[in-house]
Amino acid sequence: RVTLVTPMYGGGVTAGTPDTDMPIRASAIRGQLRFWWRLLNRRGKSSRELFEAEREVWGGLGSSAETVTASRVWVRVERFQPAGIGKLVRPCVSYEKDDADKFRGPKFDRELPDAAAYALFPGQGQLDRARTAIEKPPADILFPGLKFELVVGCPDEIWASDVLPALRWWAAFGGVGARTRRGLGSVRVEELEPPTEVEITAVPGMRFERVRGGDDALAVWGRALVALRSFRQGPNVGRNPGGADPRRPGQSRWPEPYAIRQATGRTRVKAGDVRLNDRHEAGDNLFPRASFGLPIIFHFQGERGDEARDPADTALQPEGADRFASPLILKAQWNGRSYDAVALVLPTVAELRGRALVLADSGDGRDLGQPRRFAASEWWPDGEASRHAAQAIPPMRGRGDDPLAAFLDYFAKGA
């Protein structure tokens, strides 16, 4: 018996849209179970051995048509409640017009925590430049409260060793729909115990922090999002405090904007020849926040009257790919009595740290010209160089030399 405890984004046939007839698809849950099985069973196996073992349990194609293997696990979703699911579906944001007949917003639904925008930004829609028309309508989301039954079948000999562990990890750290790594689509399953700290730390490369929460899953989820938002770009943590206008935040304390200024040769000069610094104390060409997942779109704020502008929008992405899923998972997790805010770092971060990154123009920006490549050892170094850089980045200072480890420390202890 499964209960949706945070909003679900997407989940239907159309990307980013819930399906009121079949809001939860068995095939999607089965895919997540397979992901968690693979993560838990890769130790000591070559890629070929892991592939064969996975196919033995979950089925799949082999090297020829004669080696097709049927899945030994089947999944069914049934008994949705409430029956009228449509009443749980509504836009995540709204836009209202002001006295000048221009749209204000987006204004997120009052049921959502303040930091929900940090997880739901792809669904907030888009206004035209004049703010007189909605170019892209905001996405509908499925609000918490949906209940359903998940039925899983398999042979007895693989239940305890293969299927039950995948179910427990999925219920604790996965979910339904899209953007589950940012806590959307989190579920509560009374019959499944979440993995213990001993089980979590036994997985090579897995790191974990838990903060006791309360009875309100949305509030607990919101606190987890606030921690990430503050660490990455919050005033007095990730950036300097802004001026009188709260819509114009202060300068970032991270080195990425400085690296982009160097790559493009553009640095903002305010009125009166007040020039911003284009060098960061941590060093050149550093992109530590890439560790939280890619791509990242960088947008610089400017003001009328500037004598020179900062770079136009740029996109940072892994070489040879459009994206790399975040190794960080944030959840409101049911512990059997209440909800905890949890942060889990997946072992996939090691693969990300081994990839070169590419910085390219994004949107209408043409400041960069040819894309710039940053080797894996360049965008975040190892050894003494990383320790020096971390000490020069205020959000990381005193929290270790790895960006994700520094976040876990901030998540657990606060500022």
Side-chain angles (χ1 to χ4, degrees), residues 155-171:
D156 289 344
E157 63 266 22
I158 64 170
W159 169 252
S161 60
D162 295 280
V163 180
L164 179 58
L167 277 165
R168 292 175 61 221
W169 283 74
W170 164 76

Side-chain angles (χ1 to χ4, degrees), residues 262-307:
Q262 293 172 45
T264 60
R266 287 191 175 273
T267 300
R268 180 184 172 196
V269 180
K270 299 182 180 181
D273 198 33
V274 178
R275 186 177 299 271
L276 297 185
N277 188 1
D278 62 357
R279 298 278 173 172
H280 194 284
E281 183 185 351
D284 297 338
N285 301 326
L286 297 177
F287 294 88
R289 284 180 292 179
S291 299
F292 291 86
L294 295 164
I296 303 175
I297 307 299
F298 292 96
H299 175 76
F300 290 82
Q301 296 279 5
E303 293 179 350
R304 292 179 181 176
D306 284 344
E307 296 180 12

Side-chain angles (χ1 to χ4, degrees), residues 180-223:
T180 58
R181 297 193 184 193
R182 289 296 174 261
L184 290 165
S186 295
V187 296
R188 169 176 169 173
V189 186
E190 299 279 359
E191 297 94 335
L192 296 176
E193 292 282 341
T196 65
E197 187 170 347
V198 172
E199 289 176 292
I200 294 169
T201 55
V203 179
M206 195 87 79
R207 289 170 284 172
F208 173 77
E209 287 290 349
R210 178 190 302 276
V211 177
R212 296 301 176 188
D215 297 330
D216 187 340
L218 284 176
V220 171
W221 172 53
R223 288 200 289 273

Side-chain angles (χ1 to χ4, degrees), residues 233-236 239-251 253 303:
Q233 57 187 22
N236 294 310
R239 64 172 62 250
N240 296 333
D245 187 348
R247 294 173 298 179
R248 295 198 173 275
Q251 196 165 5
R253 295 176 174 178
E303 293 179 350

Side-chain angles (χ1 to χ4, degrees), residues 61-264:
L61 298 175
S63 57
S64 67
E66 288 73 29
T67 56
V68 174
T69 303
S71 175
R72 304 177 73 194
V73 183
W74 56 266
V75 178
R76 188 169 71 241
V77 175
E78 58 189 25
R79 300 183 188 278
F80 289 108
Q81 295 179 348
I85 294 171
K87 67 181 67 174
L88 294 176
V89 176
R90 59 181 184 268
C92 59
V93 305
S94 60
Y95 291 93
E96 299 175 353
K97 284 195 171 182
D98 58 19
D99 294 339
D101 204 32
K102 291 190 176 184
F103 283 104
R104 295 178 299 169
K107 182 179 180 181
F108 277 80
D109 189 282
R110 64 179 181 272
E111 187 177 327
L112 299 172
D114 290 342
Y118 211 68
L120 279 166
F121 70 86
Q124 68 183 14
Q126 185 174 338
L127 299 175
D128 64 359
R129 287 184 178 273
R131 302 185 69 84
T132 57
I134 299 175
E135 289 186 341
K136 181 181 178 183
D140 287 339
I141 59 173
L142 181 64
F143 278 76
L146 177 70
K147 298 183 179 183
F148 61 93
E149 291 186 4
L150 176 64
V151 185
V152 180
C154 67
D156 289 344
E157 63 266 22
I158 64 170
W159 169 252
S161 60
D162 295 280
V163 180
L164 179 58
L167 277 165
R168 292 175 61 221
W169 283 74
W170 164 76
F173 297 112
V176 290
R179 297 189 62 77
T180 58
R181 297 193 184 193
R182 289 296 174 261
L184 290 165
S186 295
V187 296
R188 169 176 169 173
V189 186
E190 299 279 359
E191 297 94 335
L192 296 176
E193 292 282 341
T196 65
E197 187 170 347
V198 172
E199 289 176 292
I200 294 169
T201 55
V203 179
M206 195 87 79
R207 289 170 284 172
F208 173 77
E209 287 290 349
R210 178 190 302 276
V211 177
R212 296 301 176 188
D215 297 330
D216 187 340
L218 284 176
V220 171
W221 172 53
R223 288 200 289 273
L225 291 175
V226 165
L228 181 60
R229 182 181 65 184
S230 297
F231 186 75
R232 292 190 59 158
Q233 57 187 22
N236 294 310
V237 184
R239 64 172 62 250
N240 296 333
D245 187 348
R247 294 173 298 179
R248 295 198 173 275
Q251 196 165 5
S252 175
R253 295 176 174 178
W254 292 89
E256 292 91 349
Y258 302 84
I260 296 171
R261 290 186 180 108
Q262 293 172 45
T264 60

